[in-house]
Amino acid sequence: MNTEKIEWHDVQGLLLSGYPQLPYSAYVAWHFLPGQRDAAKRWLRDLAERLMRADRIEAEGDGAPDLRLPPTNLRALKTMRDGDRTAINLAITASGLKELDLDEHQLSDFSVEFLEGMAPKPTSGRRMPRRSGLLGDAGESSPCRWEWGGWGPSAEVHGMLLLYASEEHVLQALVQAEQRAMNGVADVVVTGDQGNGRPVIVHGRLYDDAKEHFGFVDGISQPIIEGSPLAIRSEENAKNEKKAKSCHTPAGSGERDKVLSAKDRRISLVKPGEFVLGYRNERRERISSQSVKPGSNLRDLLRNGTYLVFRQLEQDVDAFEKFVASIATRMHGKADVEATEEVAARLIGRYRNGAPLVRAGTDSPSAPERNDFLYAYEDESGMACPIGAHIRRANPRDAIGSDPDVALKLSKMHRIIRRGRPYGARRGEQDETTGKGSRRGTAFIALNADIAGQFEMIQHSWLNNPQFGGLPVGTDPISHVAHDGDELVIQQRPFNLHIEKSRPFVTVRGGAYFFLPGINAIRALAD
Amino acid sequence: MNPNFTTIITPIEPSKVEWCRGYLRDNADPQFGGEAAFLECRPLFPFDKIAGLHFCSFVILDAADGGGPCLVFEATFDGPRAGFLDELLKYAPIGFDEVYRRCVGYPLSGTTTPNLVREYWERHDVGANTFFSGSPGRTVVQVKGENSVRKGIVSFLSARFLVDAILPGRPAGLLDLVTRECIRGSADNRWAEQPAQLPWQMTLRTQIAVAAGIVVALLACALGALVCWALGYRPSALYAVLPLWLETVGHATQHLDTKVSALPWVSQLTEVIQPATLTGLMLLSVMWLVVRAAELLLRSASKNTRDQHLFWRFPLQLAVVTRYALLGVLIGVVTLAVISGVDRSPTWAGILVDGPSGILMSLGAVLVVMFQLVCIGVLLLLGWYCTTSLQLMVELQPLSKTRENLRRMALDVIQFAMFLLVSVGVLLVAALLPETVISNVAGMARSLTYGWLLMVLLGWSGVMAGYLVGLLALCVVGALEYRDRTTFEHPAGLLIRARDNARKYAREEAGINRYQNHLASITCVKPGVLRYWILRLVLFAVNVLAKFWFNKGELGGIPTILSARWVLIDGGRRLLFLDNFGGAWESYLNEFIDLAAVKGLNAIWTNTFVNAAGKRYGFPPTRFLFWQGAQDARPFKAYVRQSQVETIVWYGAYPMLGVVGINANTDTRQDLFAPLSSPAIDRFLQRL
């Protein structure tokens, strides 16, 4: 199998890592100030050098990273001491690119959905715009109610700074420093509330238990890019293991060095072109610039970039817990911990600790965060993991279609890398900074090379599709969509349980489609 | 067969085109009624009053290539066309009159003379070259009714579950309760007690396929005979020559025979089977094994549809055909061996013992042989079981490619051995029959078998000849494709127009997840007689397949098409495609690209091009008609987008249902009163 070599030194670090060692983060949405194009380009040029890159090249010189400067590649980040770690990534919207003086030809290289944006304004009052319909952004989640990025009065978003730090005070310092750096060039977007708008700085926080607000371990199932360090390492490990099966290395050598089983690799390895532009994807195509011909001295802005979907999803944890308790009473006649945990697991497809409901046919049944399971042979009817459960809808693996092998291949064309983090205080905790304990949710971030074929496709054809997998009704249990008379179907004997889902537990509060350019592309933009 | 369809294309006066668009948009397009599960029709166009109307739409085609602009009204409905058109005139006389008044040739008296209008419409009805329906035979009333039956059953069971009423423990009891309380006991649902009448094309699907297979085989034989005749062999002469050939093979392998006959088990067999046939048989078996192995290797080389092109598929298909031909020859030769064995030694030479006490002894010998055979049979059965179910039951996961191939091979060998075993058994039993019967039967059987062998030979050569012709035809297509690469622009150039084409999203500006969608596309047929006839042929083939094979809800693996039609208009210069589908455009096109349907899609649209900005853009280049083409996903989508025209008005009678759901509802209703096994009852309950 010949995998393409990826120019990791030109790719932003977020693509390869969610920065688990930097649990504090802030997502700063900004817009350019008018008439400052030259200053803006200068700012971008400087910023490009500070960005975290995905390469593994050791720091030059004597090998010890320079502690005075922030690290700019992942390997350096890992070798740094605690305390002084930060990471910066930059994403730009279509309107941001327009501000940077891109001509029509260059713009048309980007995908239509990116150029249109996540919430294009309606053309006529009569109909909901196509994209909002596609994403299910209606009712409470309609862009007309969004705090930012929607149809409201808040300024158009031109870009986003994704700032990560190891400690809270480090993050605060970083946010202030970056705000200073963009002073006079760009401003933080302010929410649309008339008069008392707040700056759009979403504080993401990765907790030690990796749980999001509904209490589930998040981000377990991630596609692994062929040609990424993890994929290469696991390939080598597999080879070594074959050579010397007897001297098995003891488990617990760190999460980073985990060995992927053959089944893991079969499920999770995805061609790089699904996540990095300019490389071959699962359809064996390359998405690259049409306007820049190979050999010209113009930079292909798409190369080594990817699209970033950001959505601020507010979660109503109390309502969700109440819902779970009510189903538990219905199914088990009681709402004690055991019953509610069981019900919650049936809605999501995993227990709160991450253990999947599908237990059959796996290599490592003991590990809770197992991911090496499939559906077609193990649980075709959904008796273990309901067909409409969140993880099964979001990633149906080999379950859609008559041939599991083909289905698994097809599903790899619709994967996303998730880099989201919870924001706001956890239920029962008071947020020290704002004093508000009630507003919490997920700062959802998805990385993909084709928004329409990946993020949007998952949203409309899987999560919010009432006919998903042959089901008669229903949408995802924790999606932001709920139709009138919406039902969840939980497969069981003697007959399936139909539960009314009267309203969603998640509301979209803002969001935008961004482009996460390669480092050289940013430099080219700043030229 | 229901549903029926009509495609009325009438020329519009060029100056009135914009007016018509505006009028239809404002007065005819049903509203998506917020959260409601139906479309709210406008007062002038009350489509919902027409009980038998499944879908209908209005599209306006702009003037092109000398043809003026025209108005397209398509409808899918139940019952005869005249009745449907009369209903249209009855319920929406003013609306239709306003629109068609702008069309050329419309009767001046308008809808006050409905017969004239109907006649006008009928004159302009172009029907469809190819029509597909996702749920054939279902009427609108039935679709809606079956959905409400399912809903009724679900709410009944849920309510019972909620109040903790005692439910029957066994699924059969539950089904009984449902039929008693929900169907027989409910005046609304009582009708569902009668099973639905499905069209004969659906119920006789397998038989039709078998019949088609036989016809194809006979045609192949005829073609083979023709080829043989052309080569100088008359079929009758061949028939006479066949035994001689077999004999020659036998003689040629005589030195092998002596060695084979020396083997312990075989020596017993050669008493009843001619050694010559035995060796021939073994040779054939080896050939068969080789071909089968090659076939399995070719088949498992790659499952990715992107790897399947001509150079892999042709050898594979040839291997399959050859394998079956060899199997046919094997069957013939074994039968011959059995016949000659029976004919030659009716007295169990070698096994039976002469003498007065012979009868008992021979009976014992027969029993011993029979016992041996049964033992081998049991062993083979065990092997068969292992290769089919046991393995899968234990592992519950797919095998690796090599192991799967080995398993299939083993299965084949076992089945083959079983066949041999049965023949030997037949031989032994037949030996007990009286001599006169045997010689009569043997003579007849022998000539029949030679006939069979002849058929197999002719069929095989016919298929080979057919493939040769096909290959030549594909080469011609390949030459056309090569020429087109320079004549037409590559559709990647259309990617830049993507944003201009975004206005064609118009129809989709609604709650996409919840409603069905409509797509209208118009493309120009590439010039040349050859292209036109290829397209006609492909459309005809797809139409036949859609009617007789793809009538279970899927068209080439795509389960989301509710109703689609392809129409050649302007005397075959343009291809109009009108399609009602479920889900969103993007995932719908992905299905087209990634599933088996891509071949049909390529074969149709590779004959077309679109005009944009003064240039002619071809369909993404195909290879030999069927391969690649649309698999070039991004240019393909850009091409489709460019070819699309706005659907100005669209109505669907059950806009929230999908094909899978509609067909599952019918299954549910059919199962209600059918005799079911308990797994089937379980499936019935799971489907709810």
Side-chain angles (χ1 to χ4, degrees), chain B residues 69 231 471 524 567:
Chain B
L231 289 175
L471 200 63
C524 305
V567 196

Side-chain angles (χ1 to χ4, degrees), chain B residues 200-265:
Chain B
W200 61 271
Q201 288 97 332
M202 274 180 83
T203 45
L204 297 178
R205 183 172 179 252
T206 335
Q207 287 90 322
I208 290 171
V210 169
I214 291 170
V215 168
V216 166
L218 288 177
L219 279 177
C221 287
L223 185 62
L226 212 67
V227 168
C228 286
W229 185 68
L231 289 175
Y233 292 101
R234 276 164 191 278
S236 53
L238 268 180
Y239 180 76
V241 151
L242 261 178
L244 288 176
W245 280 3
L246 286 174
E247 204 118 307
T248 330
V249 173
H251 284 304
T253 54
Q254 214 143 39
H255 65 284
L256 257 174
D257 293 341
T258 43
K259 281 184 191 160
V260 169
S261 317
L263 297 170
W265 234 83

Side-chain angles (χ1 to χ4, degrees), chain B residues 552-576:
Chain B
K552 294 266 185 184
E554 287 190 1
L555 182 61
I558 303 175
T560 40
I561 307 177
L562 293 137
S563 155
R565 73 190 69 187
W566 287 260
V567 196
L568 275 170
I569 57 171
D570 292 353
R573 273 181 293 133
R574 286 197 291 172
L575 175 69
L576 177 67

